[in-house]
Amino acid sequence: MNQKKYLIFILISFCLLFSASMLYASQNKQKVYIIPVSGPVEPGMAAYVKRALEEIENETDAVFVFKMDTFGGRVDAALDIVDTISNVPKGKTIAFVEKRAISAGALIALSSNLLFMKGNTIIGDCAPIIQTQEGQKMAGEKIQTVLRAKFRALAKKNNYPVVLAESMVTIDMEVYQVVMDGQKSFMRKKAYDDLTEDEKKKISAKKTIVAKGELLTMDDAEAVDFGFSQKSVKDIEEALSLLGYESTDIITIEESWSESIVRFLQPFLPMLMLIGIGAIYTEIKAPGFGIPGIVGITCLGLVFFSQYLVGLADYTELLLLLIGALLLGVEVFVLPGFGVAGITGLLIIAAGLVLSFQGFVIPDPSFPWEGALLMKNLALVLGSFMFAFLISLFMIRFVLPQLSKIMKGPYLDATLEHSHVDATAKLAVKPGDTGIAHSFLRPSGKVMIHNKKIDAITRGEFIDRGTPVLIDKIEQNRVIVKPKIS
């Protein structure tokens, strides 16, 4: 009996010990957070990376892996991401190039403390490109020198070859790989030319790595050879194993639904803005408040709130949009026509939209791309206003007058086609008679002809009050007028 109790005691002790060891092992697993950096580099991506790191900022012992697959994008967004990653404690960030890290993607990858690349992947080519009237061109020296300084700082911080890092962004930079006194190093052509003859004699091998007129772009094997990548690996797990993280708890931080929507909308923001402005202008010129107004408010709301969620728009931009909308409301409901209130409202809305596309009000001279971005945003917004105005005129002139013929509705079947009394005959008016618009015709209203007020309609035109008019035609008791041409 005692032996049986003894065996039960041993069995329970073993189970408790096993459970405790398993609990200890699970609690001591290295936490690894994977943050995908894929697609165009734009403000939506910057907001996502910032949010992801803020959520886990208290995880002081965790490792953060940025899974790279991008052709690059906006410089300002890339620098925001770089600053966010650089704030993570040293030794905790790893860039893993799954497919490519081109242009701004290379800048983001080098901001991590360590770099691993999957086989047959590439990194590099960070030439800053700007849009001009002649098409895309490489940005000037003012922008290149700032990016060179950033690449240089990141290379020094994370022990990457400084000269090669600079050659990713400088197209007129020629770089040699030299072996001097048995030590391999990378040297600019200018630095090589400045060597003395005795120093040159110490060089046992010399190889051109980056030719003039080229930008450094490396595959995974070259990145290892040049001292950027630790090793070419098949996946993240292999990279972590090489670093000694055998027992890991890998957690992928995905985009939230709102971040996914915002990033989806980013390429369509100019189109949404164009539709929104055009619909608002159409609503101003049309009587009452209807579908164009709803469409305009919805489109401009999507533009603003997408920019608000990525951190570019704030309460200032919201206040400007609300003031502009209020002035447009005054124009529509209080002061019919299109005058000072309407023009001022549109200008204020334009200012709010421009500011919502950038994270600054006045460009900082130390960041040359901010001036270029401001000009791009001004052109985008003003161009949208111009195209919206033209589209609205087309809608008002040709589309809206035809809607009643196309759209079904609760119309009366009875007409005055067979009536015996001609109301226009009683008014003694005929085609060719002239007068003035007694009210706004949008397109219906009243005109004053022969000192008599007559209900009239245009063929779709909007005519302001006091404008000379001419009776164009009379049909089925309708007086159709048009502006009188002097």
Side-chain angles (χ1 to χ4, degrees):
M1 187 67 178
N2 290 334
Q3 289 182 347
K4 185 176 181 181
K5 289 181 179 179
Y6 183 70
L7 290 173
I8 293 174
F9 175 76
I10 293 176
L11 183 60
I12 293 174
S13 300
F14 177 78
C15 291
L16 291 173
L17 182 63
F18 180 76
S19 300
S21 62
M22 292 297 293
L23 179 62
Y24 178 80
S26 64
Q27 289 177 342
N28 284 271
K29 276 187 176 182
Q30 176 64 53
K31 279 192 176 181
V32 178
Y33 290 94
I34 297 178
I35 302 174
V37 180
S38 59
V41 177
E42 35 76 35
M45 175 186 286
Y48 155 64
V49 173
K50 183 177 181 181
R51 190 267 304 171
L53 287 176
E54 284 178 348
E55 282 188 356
I56 51 181
E57 61 183 355
N58 294 326
E59 300 280 353
T60 55
D61 295 328
V63 174
F64 308 99
V65 179
F66 300 93
K67 189 165 65 173
M68 307 292 304
D69 178 17
T70 176
F71 282 105
R74 285 176 51 166
V75 175
D76 57 337
L79 290 176
D80 285 343
I81 296 173
V82 168
D83 292 340
T84 301
I85 296 175
S86 297
N87 289 329
V88 178
K90 187 172 177 61
K92 298 294 184 180
T93 56
I94 301 170
F96 174 71
V97 181
E98 187 177 45
K99 290 185 179 179
R100 61 192 69 85
I102 302 299
S103 193
L107 180 63
I108 295 170
L110 295 190
S111 65
S112 294
N113 306 138
L114 296 173
L115 173 67
F116 285 89
M117 297 178 66
K118 195 173 180 179
N120 300 315
T121 58
I122 56 175
I123 186 173
D125 186 1
C126 195
I129 302 297
I130 59 173
Q131 190 69 36
T132 67
Q133 293 180 346
E134 291 78 25
Q136 289 187 339
K137 288 188 176 181
M138 188 172 295
E141 179 62 22
K142 288 181 66 177
I143 295 180
Q144 288 189 39
T145 189
V146 175
L147 287 178
R148 265 200 306 273
K150 196 66 177 178
F151 267 91
R152 191 163 54 245
L154 291 174
K156 290 177 180 178
K157 176 186 175 185
N158 298 317
N159 297 318
Y160 298 124
V162 175
V163 174
L164 289 181
E166 289 184 87
S167 69
M168 289 187 188
V169 71
T170 312
I171 199 167
D172 59 352
M173 183 175 173
E174 193 169 349
V175 180
Y176 301 139
Q177 176 182 294
V178 298
V179 179
M180 181 183 291
D181 296 331
Q183 296 293 322
K184 183 175 72 174
S185 63
F186 301 99
M187 187 178 295
R188 293 169 178 259
K189 180 180 183 301
K190 185 177 183 303
Y192 176 81
D193 293 339
D194 290 340
L195 294 176
T196 64
E197 290 301 320
D198 290 337
E199 289 173 325
K200 288 183 178 180
K201 288 179 182 178
K202 296 179 181 179
I203 296 176
S204 58
K206 172 185 167 224
K207 178 182 177 183
T208 300
I209 300 299
V210 183
K212 187 174 182 179
E214 297 179 355
L215 291 167
L216 177 63
T217 304
M218 305 169 285
D219 61 24
D220 60 294
E222 291 170 330
V224 173
D225 186 46
F226 295 158
F228 285 93
S229 176
Q230 300 295 309
K231 189 177 180 181
S232 297
V233 294
K234 63 179 181 180
D235 52 31
I236 293 175
E237 286 76 8
E238 183 180 350
L240 293 171
S241 178
L242 290 170
L243 295 175
Y245 301 127
E246 297 292 346
S247 179
T248 57
D249 184 12
I250 297 178
I251 305 164
T252 300
I253 302 179
E254 301 289 354
E255 291 180 347
S256 65
W257 66 268
S258 59
E259 289 166 342
S260 298
I261 291 175
V262 167
R263 294 198 65 189
F264 172 78
L265 287 176
Q266 286 291 315
F268 304 104
L269 291 185
M271 183 61 67
L272 286 172
M273 186 165 56
L274 175 64
I275 296 172
I277 295 170
I280 290 293
Y281 181 79
T282 303
E283 186 61 49
I284 293 173
K285 301 300 291 183
F289 184 81
I291 293 177
I294 296 172
V295 171
I297 291 173
T298 301
C299 289
L300 293 182
L302 286 173
V303 172
F304 172 78
F305 283 109
S306 66
Q307 298 302 90
Y308 175 81
L309 290 174
V310 301
L312 292 180
D314 209 334
Y315 298 109
T316 302
E317 290 80 3
L318 177 59
L319 182 61
L320 288 174
L321 291 180
L322 290 177
I323 292 173
L326 181 62
L327 289 172
L328 290 180
V330 171
E331 187 70 40
V332 172
F333 299 110
V334 181
L335 303 172
F338 192 70
V340 176
I343 294 173
T344 305
L346 287 178
L347 289 176
I348 292 176
I349 288 176
L353 288 173
V354 169
L355 293 178
S356 71
F357 277 91
Q358 57 197 37
F360 57 89
V361 178
I362 300 175
D364 187 341
S366 60
F367 300 119
W369 54 84
E370 289 190 352
L373 182 60
L374 174 60
M375 298 305 297
K376 175 185 175 182
N377 292 338
L378 282 171
L380 173 64
V381 173
L382 295 179
S384 296
F385 268 75
M386 182 61 66
F387 279 110
F389 175 72
L390 296 175
I391 292 173
S392 299
L393 289 182
F394 175 82
M395 292 285 293
I396 292 168
R397 179 66 182 86
F398 298 104
V399 178
L400 292 181
Q402 304 300 321
L403 288 181
S404 62
K405 300 178 181 179
I406 300 173
M407 297 178 62
K408 295 181 179 180
Y411 304 121
L412 295 175
D413 292 332
T415 69
L416 299 178
E417 182 179 359
H418 302 293
S419 62
H420 298 287
V421 180
D422 190 346
T424 56
K426 183 179 179 181
L427 294 174
V429 294
K430 62 184 183 301
D433 287 350
T434 60
I436 62 171
H438 184 71
S439 68
F440 293 104
L441 278 73
R442 297 186 172 182
S444 63
K446 293 185 179 294
V447 298
M448 182 72 74
I449 297 177
H450 303 328
N451 294 321
K452 297 177 181 178
K453 283 193 290 186
I454 301 173
D455 291 326
I457 189 170
T458 70
R459 293 189 182 276
E461 304 102 323
F462 285 11
I463 300 177
D464 289 334
R465 183 170 52 193
T467 303
V469 296
L470 170 73
I471 296 180
D472 183 39
K473 190 175 182 181
I474 299 175
E475 58 180 22
Q476 297 182 2
N477 296 311
R478 292 195 310 169
V479 177
I480 303 174
V481 298
K482 63 182 181 181
K484 180 184 177 184
I485 301 176
S486 301

